[in-house]
Amino acid sequence: MSTTLHSPSSAFQSAARVSGRAAYDQLYRAAETAPESFWAQLARNQLHWFQPFQRVLDWQLPRAQWFPGGLINACYNCVDRHLSSWRRNKAALIWEGENFEQRILTYQELHRKVSKFANVLKSLGYRQGDRAIIYMPMTPEAAIAMLACARLGIIHSVVFAGFSSEALKTRMEDLEANLVITADAGRRRGREIMLKRNVDAALAEYAGVRHCIVYKHLGAGIEMHHQRDLWWDDLMFGMSEDCPAEPLDSEHPLYVLYTSGTTGKPKGVVHTTAGYLLQTHMTMQWVFDLREQDIFWCTADIGWVTGHSYLIYGPLSMGATTLLYEGAPDWPEPDRFWRLIEKYRVNIFYTSPTAIRSFIRQGDAWPQKHDLSSLRLLGSVGEPINPAAWEWYYHIIGGGRCPIVDTWWQTETGAILIAPMPGAVATKPGSATLPLPGIFPAIVDAKGQPVAEGQQGFLVMRQPWPSMFRTLWRDETRFREIYWDKIPGLYFTGDAARRDADGYYWLLGRVDDVINVSGHRLSTMEVESAMVRHAAVAEAAAVGRPHEIKGQGLVVFATLKGGQAASPELVDELRDWVGKEIGGFARPDEIRLVEALPKTRSGKIMRRLLREIVTTRSVSGDTTTLEDYAVLLKLSQQGKEEEELLAHEAQKEKV
Ligand code: WTA
């Protein structure tokens, strides 16, 4: 554990919303002493209500209801409430396309577009409780679609545009979606991603959707199905701009976001309105120390929770200017992000350790070509950040001037739970530092007993918080099993952690069969199910191994069905297959075709052994339950041979 302490400069500290350690301690204690009045006061002062709430929290583990009795609207809070001040002419969204196209929407303009689009949805007969899939590139229209749904109480589910048609269909089915909002295509690294075609493929197997609204983004050649498919622009033409936001119950579901679990089936994480909005709003202040004039840039895609909370709901409810970039970080050259920061004078920059590590590899010359002096604060999310990447980020990007907020949270938590308040809490590279006010974590053993200081254990939460997810979509049983029954009485995060003598949290990665590739959660089961859907594959086992850039890389071991011959072509085909079944980001780094997989006597694949093989190339520990030890030896032998072969090849290249 590193002991280097980075304290904020006195200039940063004195200007910060929460200034000095004593201020943090005081806030934390206030929330600890009287959590309900702490949150109630914030909810009253920080959000707009159509009708005040009657109680703060109804908590019957694991069922939480925050601010029952209140009527509220997330879209109203993100858009309408800013129209009564000068902010109406402030930039809400700045969008830049990969080919340097630019659009800027003020709050007033955003309001107009959102209201019109909400009227479009209304005129097609959609209303509160309906479910819309949003499968769009990173364009202002994606934000408009989300906000228009929120305005009417239509539950949205954004599906990351990198997901395949198969993954899209699974989500539509689970959600019983009745509306799809998409675009003809999106752009990434100069290529067109044919979104509408994927929707067509998904809708060929799912009949529950009445309409598919298509935003013409690139003018790509697509087919429109009579009656079902409608052009966004045609629908918007002449539509009224007057569409009042619906007063909705505090607990009305705002969105469902699917995330990988430990089984093949993705989980529909349900977030509701008031509590979610309050905590994304507060963390913009506590963690990002947002100022009125800031340009805030979160590089996450809108299809992940970070995009929901810190591209849209958090920044807009604060009346901030949020930057949306559609495209790759290294397009057309590796300095695209630094160009964007310089061009828009970005003040707060929030990205992932994977991105940081790939910038390091590209070399310091790329950021050094640009004026990054507008930056005041840097953020990191999605995976543990290694101290070396942290130091690089701090010195090369932040010029040694900007605090780094390493933010720990999850799709399920809705908002950041553990992170430094940058003007109050000194940071240590690699640690997410301290819990935010109102967050009560613990590190425990399998029985729920707290572990000693410095010891590794399971990270849990002892008390509910406003932005917590409420359930899994139509799967209350799984909700209880995965999150609440593992260690009774506590919320099980699935992460391992340690706490040091200063009370700082050090996140150590997942303890379940979820691997974190480039900050994207992937379940090993999901990958294995995709593999065995291929006609040649009999069995598969997926494991993670440390990867220099991506944090973790994906390795799949597979056996073939009788009569199938292993070949390099088949390996390539299988990698593409997984990419097609789930999405490009899930494509394995390596597929190893083997004769048999190591199993216990009861037939369970021993992933632990496979993990050891791919990480250390040797195996230790208890193997007495192995059915056939020879299988294992063969596998590790194969690894060694491969390594020797590679070393030999590399040697040849040098010569
Ligand atoms: C990991 C992303 C270490 C963790 C917001 C968690 C982190 C999972 C950090 C959630 C961090 C996220 N340090 N690990 N700062 N942030 N994680 O649902 O394993 O995509 O459980 O949410 O990412 O990923 P998800």
Side-chain angles (χ1 to χ4, degrees), residues 499-541:
R499 194 170 45 206
D500 69 16
D502 296 327
Y504 278 42
Y505 284 79
W506 298 78
L507 278 304
L508 305 168
R510 304 284 310 185
V511 294
D512 50 12
D513 285 329
V514 171
I515 57 177
N516 201 329
V517 179
S518 305
H520 298 156
R521 270 163 73 167
L522 263 182
S523 103
T524 51
M525 271 291 287
E526 210 174 339
V527 175
E528 290 160 10
S529 325
M531 281 288 288
V532 298
R533 280 198 294 269
H534 189 282
V537 176
E539 277 187 309

Side-chain angles (χ1 to χ4, degrees), residues 17-18 46 107 276-292 294-298 306 308-322 348 350 376-377 405 415-416 420-422 436:
R17 285 175 182 269
V18 181
Q46 302 275 329
Y107 273 95
Y276 173 80
L277 200 61
L278 179 62
Q279 221 161 340
T280 51
H281 183 88
M282 289 317 302
T283 45
M284 287 302 296
Q285 302 174 36
W286 288 338
V287 180
F288 295 113
D289 195 36
L290 185 85
R291 313 259 177 82
E292 188 68 73
D294 279 338
I295 308 281
F296 181 82
W297 185 22
C298 162
T306 309
H308 285 59
S309 300
Y310 298 107
L311 267 176
I312 308 297
Y313 291 109
L316 296 181
S317 87
M318 285 291 294
T321 300
T322 176
I348 304 171
Y350 189 32
R376 192 178 79 247
L377 182 70
V405 288
I416 299 167
M421 288 185 165
L436 294 173

Side-chain angles (χ1 to χ4, degrees), residues 259 304-306 350 380-385 406-412 418 432 493-495 507-510 516 519-521:
T259 188
W304 308 112
V305 74
T306 309
Y350 189 32
S380 167
V381 61
E383 347 148 34
I385 177 165
D406 176 359
T407 62
W408 179 88
W409 59 298
Q410 310 177 293
T411 305
E412 292 86 343
I418 305 178
T493 64
D495 274 14
L507 278 304
L508 305 168
R510 304 284 310 185
N516 201 329
H520 298 156
R521 270 163 73 167

Side-chain angles (χ1 to χ4, degrees), residues 297-567:
W297 185 22
C298 162
T299 68
D301 193 278
I302 212 157
W304 308 112
V305 74
T306 309
H308 285 59
S309 300
Y310 298 107
L311 267 176
I312 308 297
Y313 291 109
L316 296 181
S317 87
M318 285 291 294
T321 300
T322 176
L323 179 64
L324 215 64
Y325 166 59
E326 182 198 359
D330 55 356
W331 189 269
E333 288 192 295
D335 63 345
R336 185 59 184 273
F337 274 13
W338 321 128
R339 276 169 90 146
L340 280 152
I341 290 173
E342 181 171 22
K343 176 169 174 186
Y344 295 103
R345 311 300 298 149
V346 170
N347 305 102
I348 304 171
F349 178 63
Y350 189 32
T351 195
S352 69
T354 289
I356 296 164
R357 288 187 293 261
S358 67
F359 298 140
I360 296 176
R361 181 187 270 189
Q362 286 149 358
D364 300 359
W366 293 106
Q368 278 162 357
K369 279 198 334 199
H370 296 277
D371 175 6
L372 305 180
S373 62
S374 59
L375 290 173
R376 192 178 79 247
L377 182 70
L378 303 172
S380 167
V381 61
E383 347 148 34
I385 177 165
N386 47 309
W390 198 102
E391 293 287 354
W392 184 90
Y393 197 28
Y394 186 74
H395 291 288
I396 306 299
I397 304 308
R401 174 185 80 247
C402 310
I404 296 180
V405 288
D406 176 359
T407 62
W408 179 88
W409 59 298
Q410 310 177 293
T411 305
E412 292 86 343
T413 71
I416 299 167
L417 299 195
I418 305 178
M421 288 185 165
V425 174
T427 54
K428 298 182 190 183
S431 167
T433 76
L434 301 174
L436 294 173
I439 302 304
F440 307 102
I443 300 177
V444 301
D445 62 19
K447 295 203 178 89
Q449 294 306 311
V451 300
E453 177 194 301
Q455 294 299 303
Q456 177 171 339
F458 302 115
L459 178 68
V460 295
M461 297 295 151
R462 293 182 283 122
Q463 286 183 39
W465 64 98
S467 66
M468 67 199 286
F469 69 135
R470 300 300 194 258
T471 186
L472 292 179
W473 182 254
R474 298 195 177 151
D475 205 348
E476 182 78 11
T477 313
R478 217 171 151 208
F479 170 65
R480 288 173 186 265
E481 273 171 17
I482 299 174
Y483 300 104
W484 302 95
D485 294 349
K486 291 247 159 73
I487 302 178
L490 301 169
Y491 167 70
F492 185 76
T493 64
D495 274 14
R498 258 197 298 252
R499 194 170 45 206
D500 69 16
D502 296 327
Y504 278 42
Y505 284 79
W506 298 78
L507 278 304
L508 305 168
R510 304 284 310 185
V511 294
D512 50 12
D513 285 329
V514 171
I515 57 177
N516 201 329
V517 179
S518 305
H520 298 156
R521 270 163 73 167
L522 263 182
S523 103
T524 51
M525 271 291 287
E526 210 174 339
V527 175
E528 290 160 10
S529 325
M531 281 288 288
V532 298
R533 280 198 294 269
H534 189 282
V537 176
E539 277 187 309
V543 293
R545 82 164 158 220
H547 186 283
E548 197 191 337
I549 305 285
K550 298 193 281 189
Q552 280 191 295
L554 179 62
V555 183
V556 187
F557 292 81
T559 59
L560 297 178
K561 287 187 184 151
Q564 298 286 340
S567 68

